[in-house]
mmCIF file of all heavy atoms in Angstrom:
data_model
loop_
_atom_site.group_PDB
_atom_site.id
_atom_site.type_symbol
_atom_site.label_atom_id
_atom_site.label_comp_id
_atom_site.label_asym_id
_atom_site.label_seq_id
_atom_site.Cartn_x
_atom_site.Cartn_y
_atom_site.Cartn_z
ATOM 1 N N TYR B 179 48.326 92.778 79.248
ATOM 2 C CA TYR B 179 47.219 93.499 78.601
ATOM 3 C C TYR B 179 46.820 92.807 77.304
ATOM 4 O O TYR B 179 45.614 92.610 77.063
ATOM 5 C CB TYR B 179 47.586 94.958 78.348
ATOM 6 C CG TYR B 179 46.430 95.723 77.734
ATOM 7 C CD1 TYR B 179 45.487 96.293 78.592
ATOM 8 C CD2 TYR B 179 46.322 95.889 76.379
ATOM 9 C CE1 TYR B 179 44.415 96.961 78.006
ATOM 10 C CE2 TYR B 179 45.275 96.581 75.802
ATOM 11 C CZ TYR B 179 44.288 97.103 76.657
ATOM 12 O OH TYR B 179 43.237 97.788 76.088
ATOM 13 N N GLU B 180 47.794 92.402 76.556
ATOM 14 C CA GLU B 180 47.539 91.816 75.270
ATOM 15 C C GLU B 180 46.744 90.491 75.465
ATOM 16 O O GLU B 180 45.738 90.245 74.801
ATOM 17 C CB GLU B 180 48.874 91.532 74.612
ATOM 18 C CG GLU B 180 48.748 91.131 73.151
ATOM 19 C CD GLU B 180 50.082 90.662 72.620
ATOM 20 O OE1 GLU B 180 51.134 90.921 73.255
ATOM 21 O OE2 GLU B 180 50.085 89.989 71.563
ATOM 22 N N GLY B 181 47.201 89.678 76.439
ATOM 23 C CA GLY B 181 46.515 88.424 76.686
ATOM 24 C C GLY B 181 45.076 88.631 77.149
ATOM 25 O O GLY B 181 44.110 88.034 76.755
ATOM 26 N N TRP B 182 44.912 89.692 78.042
ATOM 27 C CA TRP B 182 43.606 89.979 78.572
ATOM 28 C C TRP B 182 42.661 90.502 77.436
ATOM 29 O O TRP B 182 41.551 90.073 77.329
ATOM 30 C CB TRP B 182 43.747 91.082 79.683
ATOM 31 C CG TRP B 182 42.439 91.573 80.187
ATOM 32 C CD1 TRP B 182 41.607 90.974 81.023
ATOM 33 C CD2 TRP B 182 41.778 92.810 79.774
ATOM 34 N NE1 TRP B 182 40.490 91.735 81.270
ATOM 35 C CE2 TRP B 182 40.581 92.875 80.519
ATOM 36 C CE3 TRP B 182 42.156 93.883 78.917
ATOM 37 C CZ2 TRP B 182 39.719 93.930 80.382
ATOM 38 C CZ3 TRP B 182 41.293 94.931 78.825
ATOM 39 C CH2 TRP B 182 40.083 94.945 79.555
ATOM 40 N N ALA B 183 43.196 91.416 76.568
ATOM 41 C CA ALA B 183 42.390 91.996 75.521
ATOM 42 C C ALA B 183 41.951 90.857 74.530
ATOM 43 O O ALA B 183 40.783 90.859 74.125
ATOM 44 C CB ALA B 183 43.181 93.042 74.816
ATOM 45 N N GLU B 184 42.827 89.992 74.243
ATOM 46 C CA GLU B 184 42.527 88.901 73.323
ATOM 47 C C GLU B 184 41.387 88.067 73.930
ATOM 48 O O GLU B 184 40.447 87.667 73.236
ATOM 49 C CB GLU B 184 43.751 87.982 73.148
ATOM 50 C CG GLU B 184 44.355 88.062 71.757
ATOM 51 C CD GLU B 184 45.632 87.264 71.682
ATOM 52 O OE1 GLU B 184 45.674 86.099 72.179
ATOM 53 O OE2 GLU B 184 46.628 87.844 71.224
ATOM 54 N N MET B 185 41.509 87.786 75.229
ATOM 55 C CA MET B 185 40.505 86.982 75.921
ATOM 56 C C MET B 185 39.163 87.673 75.899
ATOM 57 O O MET B 185 38.140 87.033 75.614
ATOM 58 C CB MET B 185 41.005 86.684 77.324
ATOM 59 C CG MET B 185 40.090 85.788 78.145
ATOM 60 S SD MET B 185 38.768 86.632 78.951
ATOM 61 C CE MET B 185 39.624 87.686 80.104
ATOM 62 N N ILE B 186 39.142 88.998 76.131
ATOM 63 C CA ILE B 186 37.889 89.721 76.144
ATOM 64 C C ILE B 186 37.239 89.670 74.805
ATOM 65 O O ILE B 186 36.005 89.414 74.660
ATOM 66 C CB ILE B 186 38.142 91.215 76.516
ATOM 67 C CG1 ILE B 186 38.594 91.305 77.981
ATOM 68 C CG2 ILE B 186 36.908 92.110 76.257
ATOM 69 C CD1 ILE B 186 37.507 91.050 78.983
ATOM 70 N N GLU B 187 38.065 89.772 73.741
ATOM 71 C CA GLU B 187 37.496 89.724 72.377
ATOM 72 C C GLU B 187 37.003 88.316 72.027
ATOM 73 O O GLU B 187 35.853 88.154 71.487
ATOM 74 C CB GLU B 187 38.540 90.185 71.365
ATOM 75 C CG GLU B 187 38.635 91.688 71.244
ATOM 76 C CD GLU B 187 39.860 92.121 70.487
ATOM 77 O OE1 GLU B 187 40.625 91.244 70.005
ATOM 78 O OE2 GLU B 187 40.117 93.331 70.424
ATOM 79 N N ASP B 188 37.846 87.290 72.364
ATOM 80 C CA ASP B 188 37.457 85.951 71.939
ATOM 81 C C ASP B 188 36.327 85.341 72.836
ATOM 82 O O ASP B 188 35.362 84.786 72.306
ATOM 83 C CB ASP B 188 38.650 85.005 72.068
ATOM 84 C CG ASP B 188 39.671 85.378 70.972
ATOM 85 O OD1 ASP B 188 39.330 86.223 70.162
ATOM 86 O OD2 ASP B 188 40.756 84.763 70.969
ATOM 87 N N VAL B 189 36.537 85.402 74.165
ATOM 88 C CA VAL B 189 35.607 84.697 75.044
ATOM 89 C C VAL B 189 34.377 85.510 75.321
ATOM 90 O O VAL B 189 33.259 85.055 75.290
ATOM 91 C CB VAL B 189 36.347 84.293 76.344
ATOM 92 C CG1 VAL B 189 35.420 83.510 77.234
ATOM 93 C CG2 VAL B 189 37.607 83.503 76.056
ATOM 94 N N LYS B 190 34.592 86.807 75.690
ATOM 95 C CA LYS B 190 33.447 87.619 76.120
ATOM 96 C C LYS B 190 32.814 88.338 74.939
ATOM 97 O O LYS B 190 31.772 89.020 75.097
ATOM 98 C CB LYS B 190 33.872 88.638 77.171
ATOM 99 C CG LYS B 190 34.586 88.053 78.352
ATOM 100 C CD LYS B 190 33.715 87.834 79.530
ATOM 101 C CE LYS B 190 34.464 87.603 80.801
ATOM 102 N NZ LYS B 190 34.614 86.238 81.185
ATOM 103 N N ASP B 191 33.511 88.306 73.754
ATOM 104 C CA ASP B 191 32.952 88.911 72.570
ATOM 105 C C ASP B 191 32.650 90.426 72.775
ATOM 106 O O ASP B 191 31.615 90.923 72.480
ATOM 107 C CB ASP B 191 31.696 88.218 72.109
ATOM 108 C CG ASP B 191 31.512 88.300 70.637
ATOM 109 O OD1 ASP B 191 32.432 88.788 69.950
ATOM 110 O OD2 ASP B 191 30.465 87.897 70.129
ATOM 111 N N ALA B 192 33.630 91.082 73.436
ATOM 112 C CA ALA B 192 33.423 92.505 73.771
ATOM 113 C C ALA B 192 34.659 93.308 73.359
ATOM 114 O O ALA B 192 35.687 92.741 73.034
ATOM 115 C CB ALA B 192 33.154 92.692 75.251
ATOM 116 N N ASP B 193 34.515 94.627 73.435
ATOM 117 C CA ASP B 193 35.618 95.507 73.106
ATOM 118 C C ASP B 193 36.442 95.810 74.391
ATOM 119 O O ASP B 193 35.903 96.332 75.338
ATOM 120 C CB ASP B 193 35.048 96.792 72.495
ATOM 121 C CG ASP B 193 36.187 97.720 72.099
ATOM 122 O OD1 ASP B 193 37.358 97.355 72.176
ATOM 123 O OD2 ASP B 193 35.867 98.881 71.642
ATOM 124 N N PRO B 194 37.748 95.493 74.408
ATOM 125 C CA PRO B 194 38.567 95.711 75.580
ATOM 126 C C PRO B 194 38.566 97.172 75.992
ATOM 127 O O PRO B 194 38.768 97.444 77.175
ATOM 128 C CB PRO B 194 39.977 95.302 75.171
ATOM 129 C CG PRO B 194 39.848 94.659 73.857
ATOM 130 C CD PRO B 194 38.513 94.906 73.288
ATOM 131 N N ALA B 195 38.331 98.141 75.060
ATOM 132 C CA ALA B 195 38.386 99.520 75.441
ATOM 133 C C ALA B 195 37.222 99.945 76.282
ATOM 134 O O ALA B 195 37.147 101.093 76.744
ATOM 135 C CB ALA B 195 38.453 100.365 74.187
ATOM 136 N N THR B 196 36.256 99.027 76.473
ATOM 137 C CA THR B 196 35.106 99.361 77.300
ATOM 138 C C THR B 196 34.991 98.565 78.540
ATOM 139 O O THR B 196 34.060 98.750 79.339
ATOM 140 C CB THR B 196 33.795 99.172 76.466
ATOM 141 O OG1 THR B 196 33.730 97.786 76.149
ATOM 142 C CG2 THR B 196 33.755 99.990 75.208
ATOM 143 N N LYS B 197 35.853 97.619 78.745
ATOM 144 C CA LYS B 197 35.726 96.679 79.879
ATOM 145 C C LYS B 197 36.712 97.055 80.997
ATOM 146 O O LYS B 197 37.862 97.462 80.721
ATOM 147 C CB LYS B 197 36.034 95.262 79.402
ATOM 148 C CG LYS B 197 34.926 94.640 78.623
ATOM 149 C CD LYS B 197 34.026 93.908 79.589
ATOM 150 C CE LYS B 197 32.800 93.310 78.858
ATOM 151 N NZ LYS B 197 31.810 92.885 79.794
ATOM 152 N N LYS B 198 36.258 96.897 82.194
ATOM 153 C CA LYS B 198 37.129 97.145 83.351
ATOM 154 C C LYS B 198 38.291 96.222 83.277
ATOM 155 O O LYS B 198 38.135 94.996 83.046
ATOM 156 C CB LYS B 198 36.280 96.896 84.653
ATOM 157 C CG LYS B 198 36.954 97.329 85.886
ATOM 158 C CD LYS B 198 35.962 97.288 87.020
ATOM 159 C CE LYS B 198 36.608 97.471 88.349
ATOM 160 N NZ LYS B 198 37.388 96.350 88.853
ATOM 161 N N LEU B 199 39.471 96.713 83.510
ATOM 162 C CA LEU B 199 40.638 95.917 83.433
ATOM 163 C C LEU B 199 40.782 94.842 84.495
ATOM 164 O O LEU B 199 40.390 95.111 85.647
ATOM 165 C CB LEU B 199 41.914 96.838 83.446
ATOM 166 C CG LEU B 199 42.354 97.255 82.044
ATOM 167 C CD1 LEU B 199 41.611 98.507 81.658
ATOM 168 C CD2 LEU B 199 43.846 97.422 81.976
ATOM 169 N N SER B 200 41.383 93.747 84.101
ATOM 170 C CA SER B 200 41.588 92.651 85.058
ATOM 171 C C SER B 200 42.717 93.009 86.012
ATOM 172 O O SER B 200 43.649 93.764 85.671
ATOM 173 C CB SER B 200 41.908 91.421 84.303
ATOM 174 O OG SER B 200 42.583 90.473 85.111
ATOM 175 N N PRO B 201 42.651 92.562 87.285
ATOM 176 C CA PRO B 201 43.736 92.826 88.219
ATOM 177 C C PRO B 201 45.069 92.335 87.711
ATOM 178 O O PRO B 201 46.133 92.859 88.152
ATOM 179 C CB PRO B 201 43.315 92.009 89.451
ATOM 180 C CG PRO B 201 41.875 91.714 89.339
ATOM 181 C CD PRO B 201 41.565 91.781 87.892
ATOM 182 N N ILE B 202 45.131 91.386 86.755
ATOM 183 C CA ILE B 202 46.424 90.904 86.330
ATOM 184 C C ILE B 202 47.211 92.049 85.626
ATOM 185 O O ILE B 202 48.445 92.086 85.776
ATOM 186 C CB ILE B 202 46.316 89.716 85.378
ATOM 187 C CG1 ILE B 202 45.395 90.027 84.175
ATOM 188 C CG2 ILE B 202 45.865 88.459 86.083
ATOM 189 C CD1 ILE B 202 45.429 88.930 83.084
ATOM 190 N N VAL B 203 46.487 92.951 84.968
ATOM 191 C CA VAL B 203 47.166 94.031 84.249
ATOM 192 C C VAL B 203 47.834 94.942 85.294
ATOM 193 O O VAL B 203 48.975 95.349 85.167
ATOM 194 C CB VAL B 203 46.238 94.812 83.310
ATOM 195 C CG1 VAL B 203 46.977 95.903 82.589
ATOM 196 C CG2 VAL B 203 45.539 93.869 82.400
ATOM 197 N N TYR B 204 47.052 95.252 86.339
ATOM 198 C CA TYR B 204 47.600 96.214 87.387
ATOM 199 C C TYR B 204 48.799 95.519 88.138
ATOM 200 O O TYR B 204 49.746 96.172 88.485
ATOM 201 C CB TYR B 204 46.513 96.639 88.337
ATOM 202 C CG TYR B 204 45.477 97.493 87.702
ATOM 203 C CD1 TYR B 204 44.211 97.049 87.468
ATOM 204 C CD2 TYR B 204 45.787 98.838 87.325
ATOM 205 C CE1 TYR B 204 43.219 97.855 86.838
ATOM 206 C CE2 TYR B 204 44.856 99.635 86.693
ATOM 207 C CZ TYR B 204 43.588 99.139 86.485
ATOM 208 O OH TYR B 204 42.622 99.933 85.888
#
Side-chain angles (χ1 to χ4, degrees):
Chain B
Y179 182 84
E180 192 190 343
W182 173 79
E184 248 172 51
M185 185 275 294
I186 292 290
E187 278 166 4
D188 290 354
V189 181
K190 308 261 196 263
D191 209 8
D193 181 5
T196 62
K197 283 269 178 192
K198 191 170 171 283
L199 268 87
S200 158
I202 54 170
V203 182
Y204 293 110

